[in-house]
Amino acid sequence: MENKNKEIAKLFYRLADALEIKGESGFKVVAYQKAARVLEDLTTDVAELVAQGKLSEIPGIGRGMAEKIEEYLKTGKMTRYEEVMKEVPGGLLQLLEIPGLGGRTIHQMHKELNVNNLEDLKRVIEDGSLEKLYGMGKKKVENIKKGIELFEHAQERMPIYEAMTIAEEVIDYLKKAEGISHVSTAGSLRRMKETIGDIDILATGRDGLKIIKHFVAFPRTVRVLAEGETKGSILITTEAGERQVDLRIVEEDSYGAALQYFTGSKAHNIKLRGLAKDKGLKISEYGVFRGEKKIAGRSEEEVYGVFGLPVFPPEMREDHGEIELALEGKLPVIVEPADIKGDLHVHSNWSDGVMTLEEVAEHGKQLGYSYIAICDHSQAARYAHGLSPDRLAEEIKEIDKLNSKLKGIKLLKGIEVDILGDGTIDCSEELLKKLDIVVASIHSGFKKNVTERIIAALKHPLVNIIGHPTGRLISGREGYDVDVDKIIEAAAEYGKILELNAYYDRLDLDEFNLKKAKEKRVLISIGTDTHYAHGFGMMRYGLGIARRAWLTKKDIINTLPLSKLLSRL
DNA sequence: GCCGTTTTCGGCCCGACTGTTTTCAGTCG
């Protein structure tokens, strides 16, 4: 079913870690990490590439990697991996996750003190033998102790919604600091990844020391990890636990270079640095330099401009071919917030939402939308006060009545209908025909013939859209037992639409599946699935993911004006 | 381990910070 790309990527990541501890060349380690990342991001099945003999055409995959991949696909084993794992116990690999500990130190501790796991490490700290190692000292051991503490309280990556909320709160607070001018998010948050590790913020100002001082005094700071002239790092308390926020301060004339640099991704930056090198230039967070002379740095326009490149949307900066395309002048123009004309998945208080129909319309108007699809649950969704046929008929009348009064916005008559266990739809054709839009979703039987059921729903002539097609929850639910590739193919065959559910914990389809859908020319609808007013704001996360998948205006149906949307449906 | 019409060998992004060092190594982002 699922292809083996991610599985092999994981092996390569572990191999990279193990080689690092073995003390192999850092370049080899990086090569494995790169190969792993490339595999993770690949939208085609590696097995397919092997079949076509195109595996080593992928940048980052050479002979060595190709052989290992082929061996694994053929035999389910990777000899090199198993050899290395024999030498490097799993307990040692784990130590790499301790901040401040790297391969070199772990290698040394293993060789000289026979440290094989976290317990051993704690022992050699306590008995003082670690401190006596060459190059060690009181402070280093103290640091490792702190690292262990952080590691043991380590947080998972946080959902983007949480990260954005914290970042905006901190940014508001920072703006009150004296002498601060620009402030921006950076890192994976600015690139709108679905989950975020640390929150990165960049600012400019004359007196770095003062700004950092203000920063670490943030009301919810529980621990200051670093406090310097250009850099501060704090742990703050949140409802979900402790989160790390990093702040960097740079001079005004380096703001663009720093923003570019700290936004990343790492892979994108490495490629850019390669271009600089070819031109005999040097690029850093302070600017672009020819020899000693700084030739750019004030803005991202300036920095990218040196290389004849446009300012890439942050979401595209992943080294997924964007730099090469831009050099050829072929960078696609991806969807923007202003392109979105409406929300295609909203619940009202007719089922399990809290807003009245009027309130939904009012909020939509404020957002500048020209339509909103009311998609309340069907009767099978009892837990969500799903609508009986009578209630649905009543809601349809109600919406018609309301629409005759509304100006500047229209509510679409819709439903989020359950796909039942046998693949049928939980609503009569007679009623479906009265609706403008039909979203069909799986809400029960997550392991029961899900692929077949969804395909049956796609075949149904009155179904327009499949809602949250994989059912995954980012905070911890695998999703249905579903073959997404088959769903995408079926959607293409029957000319149906797949949803990008913009609710931050769903973001379903995800960026990888969206790319596949786009390749098969399957149209996407973005809906927030909101049940309350605040949830309309989820659109920005859906858009972020759509942009990460390089979707353009044409790939998304809710960029269409009302009349065109209705005729497409 | 990957990569290349200047190279099939010798490079591989760059800088801050820290702590251990008499000039640099390790870690991080």
Side-chain angles (χ1 to χ4, degrees):
Chain A
M1 282 235 309
E2 275 291 301
N3 68 47
K4 304 253 191 237
N5 298 13
K6 295 225 157 62
E7 211 172 300
I8 298 172
K10 222 174 247 170
L11 292 183
F12 282 168
Y13 276 127
R14 280 178 70 88
L15 210 34
D17 285 351
L19 293 176
E20 196 178 346
I21 291 171
K22 261 168 61 79
E24 297 259 359
S25 141
F27 297 115
K28 203 180 270 193
V29 173
V30 168
Y32 273 103
Q33 285 167 344
K34 172 157 193 200
R37 218 181 42 234
V38 165
L39 278 176
E40 255 182 342
D41 292 349
L42 216 53
T43 52
T44 28
D45 187 342
V46 267
E48 210 171 288
L49 291 171
V50 169
Q52 299 167 346
K54 286 186 179 164
L55 188 51
S56 31
E57 281 175 29
I58 309 283
I61 310 278
R63 265 183 74 130
M65 300 291 181
E67 273 172 19
K68 290 176 183 78
I69 294 170
E70 287 179 38
E71 184 200 356
Y72 187 74
L73 288 174
K74 214 177 279 174
T75 67
K77 276 171 63 169
M78 195 183 289
T79 313
R80 179 77 178 129
Y81 177 80
E82 295 187 359
E83 280 170 10
V84 174
M85 284 307 143
K86 258 181 223 150
E87 289 177 58
V88 184
L92 266 192
L93 282 183
Q94 194 193 25
L95 298 186
L96 272 179
E97 291 169 42
I98 296 172
L101 259 192
R104 288 250 120 87
T105 313
I106 295 172
H107 177 71
Q108 195 193 6
M109 294 187 319
H110 176 59
K111 238 178 94 184
E112 297 182 32
L113 297 173
N114 199 26
V115 168
N116 281 306
N117 51 46
L118 184 58
E119 286 316 299
D120 293 347
L121 173 58
K122 284 179 176 170
R123 176 174 48 78
V124 296
I125 290 174
E126 286 314 308
D127 69 19
S129 51
L130 183 61
E131 196 182 314
K132 296 198 187 83
L133 278 189
Y134 180 78
M136 273 292 162
K138 264 207 159 49
K139 285 195 171 170
K140 275 203 165 177
V141 172
E142 200 46 46
N143 241 342
I144 293 171
K145 262 172 104 167
K146 273 188 197 151
I148 293 174
E149 206 180 304
L150 282 175
F151 165 72
E152 288 181 330
H153 294 106
Q155 292 279 344
E156 303 266 301
R157 294 174 67 84
M158 69 194 104
I160 184 164
Y161 169 67
E162 188 193 331
M164 193 68 84
T165 308
I166 295 171
E168 288 180 342
E169 194 184 334
V170 173
I171 285 174
D172 276 347
Y173 169 80
L174 280 175
K175 283 181 178 160
K176 291 180 215 150
E178 207 187 305
I180 202 164
S181 39
H182 293 97
V183 198
S184 170
T185 57
S188 55
L189 181 57
R190 185 162 179 245
R191 300 201 312 282
M192 298 294 276
K193 287 196 74 167
E194 61 186 36
T195 61
I196 310 296
D198 298 335
I199 297 167
D200 293 314
I201 297 175
L202 177 73
T204 61
R206 258 164 292 128
D207 192 346
L209 214 55
K210 223 178 195 171
I211 295 169
I212 298 284
K213 224 179 174 93
H214 177 78
F215 169 65
V216 302
F218 183 70
R220 285 190 284 125
T221 301
V222 289
R223 183 156 169 184
V224 179
L225 299 171
E227 181 181 358
E229 208 174 328
T230 63
K231 212 169 143 177
S233 186
I234 56 176
L235 283 182
I236 65 171
T237 53
T238 73
E239 285 164 27
E242 289 173 6
R243 300 298 196 192
Q244 185 172 336
V245 186
D246 297 338
L247 173 66
R248 283 287 302 238
I249 308 284
V250 295
E251 300 274 332
E252 206 63 46
D253 70 344
S254 293
Y255 180 62
L259 190 55
Q260 193 287 316
Y261 177 80
F262 288 112
T263 297
S265 68
K266 191 170 179 165
H268 176 90
N269 285 357
I270 288 173
K271 177 130 311 157
L272 198 63
R273 261 148 241 276
L275 288 186
K277 216 160 187 192
D278 293 345
K279 285 184 181 268
L281 304 173
K282 199 184 64 174
I283 177 167
S284 75
E285 62 258 53
Y286 298 110
V288 184
F289 296 87
R290 176 172 285 127
E292 294 289 294
K293 191 167 180 261
K294 180 158 161 179
I295 58 174
R298 186 164 286 272
S299 65
E300 287 194 316
E301 281 82 358
E302 244 184 56
V303 172
Y304 281 115
V306 169
F307 306 97
L309 291 168
V311 176
F312 294 92
E315 293 93 332
M316 293 182 98
R317 304 182 193 178
E318 296 289 346
D319 189 26
H320 285 172
E322 71 279 5
I323 292 180
E324 292 83 349
L325 279 175
L327 286 172
E328 293 169 28
K330 290 180 184 162
L331 193 71
V333 177
I334 57 176
V335 63
E336 291 187 20
D339 294 331
I340 299 295
K341 300 286 187 286
D343 191 331
L344 291 185
H345 189 163
V346 171
H347 293 269
S348 78
N349 64 354
W350 281 70
S351 64
D352 60 345
V354 302
M355 292 176 284
T356 63
L357 295 173
E358 288 87 345
E359 283 166 345
V360 170
E362 190 46 46
H363 286 295
K365 243 176 161 173
Q366 282 172 17
L367 289 164
Y369 288 159
S370 39
Y371 47 83
I372 285 185
I374 301 291
C375 296
D376 281 312
H377 289 283
S378 65
Q379 59 185 342
R382 289 178 191 278
Y383 59 91
H385 306 110
L387 298 170
S388 67
D390 288 348
R391 290 268 298 155
L392 178 58
E394 225 180 296
E395 189 184 28
I396 291 173
K397 272 190 205 150
E398 208 45 47
I399 294 175
D400 278 335
K401 209 166 31 169
L402 187 56
N403 273 332
S404 67
K405 286 188 284 182
L406 285 174
K407 286 209 178 78
I409 188 160
K410 182 166 176 165
L411 293 184
L412 303 184
K413 290 165 285 183
I415 188 168
E416 181 182 18
V417 65
D418 265 43
I419 301 171
L420 301 172
D422 58 1
T424 58
I425 294 299
D426 180 33
C427 187
S428 71
E429 297 220 353
E430 186 198 342
L431 274 170
L432 290 179
K433 277 184 186 156
K434 292 189 177 164
L435 297 169
D436 299 312
I437 182 168
V438 176
V439 179
S441 307
I442 297 268
H443 286 119
S444 61
F446 292 177
K447 294 192 187 247
K448 219 177 88 188
N449 305 325
V450 180
T451 308
E452 292 75 9
R453 285 157 65 201
I454 294 181
I455 290 175
L458 282 164
K459 275 189 197 167
H460 192 297
L462 295 171
V463 167
N464 304 117
I465 299 170
I466 299 298
H468 44 74
T470 78
R472 66 101 175 236
L473 292 182
I474 290 171
S475 67
R477 185 173 82 198
E478 278 282 325
Y480 324 132
D481 191 0
V482 65
D483 186 333
V484 187
D485 293 350
K486 280 195 183 148
I487 301 299
I488 291 171
E489 264 164 44
E493 188 180 341
Y494 303 117
K496 296 296 172 70
I497 298 154
L498 296 178
E499 181 180 74
L500 161 50
N501 190 297
Y503 180 64
Y504 76 94
D505 202 23
R506 289 192 183 270
L507 297 173
D508 177 10
L509 298 174
D510 69 11
E511 58 181 284
F512 303 106
N513 286 320
L514 286 172
K515 272 188 203 163
K516 288 187 195 169
K518 181 181 163 80
E519 277 168 25
K520 303 276 182 194
R521 299 175 182 229
V522 171
L523 289 176
I524 301 298
S525 73
I526 308 183
T528 59
D529 200 356
T530 188
H531 293 64
Y532 47 88
H534 184 60
F536 283 113
M538 296 296 154
M539 186 57 80
R540 89 193 262 204
Y541 306 110
L543 258 170
I545 294 300
R547 285 161 61 83
R548 288 184 60 81
W550 296 21
L551 297 193
T552 65
K553 194 174 166 181
K554 279 193 308 209
D555 299 316
I556 298 168
I557 60 160
N558 40 322
T559 61
L560 293 172
L562 179 62
S563 58
K564 286 198 174 150
L565 173 74
L566 288 174
S567 58
R568 173 62 185 78
L569 291 171

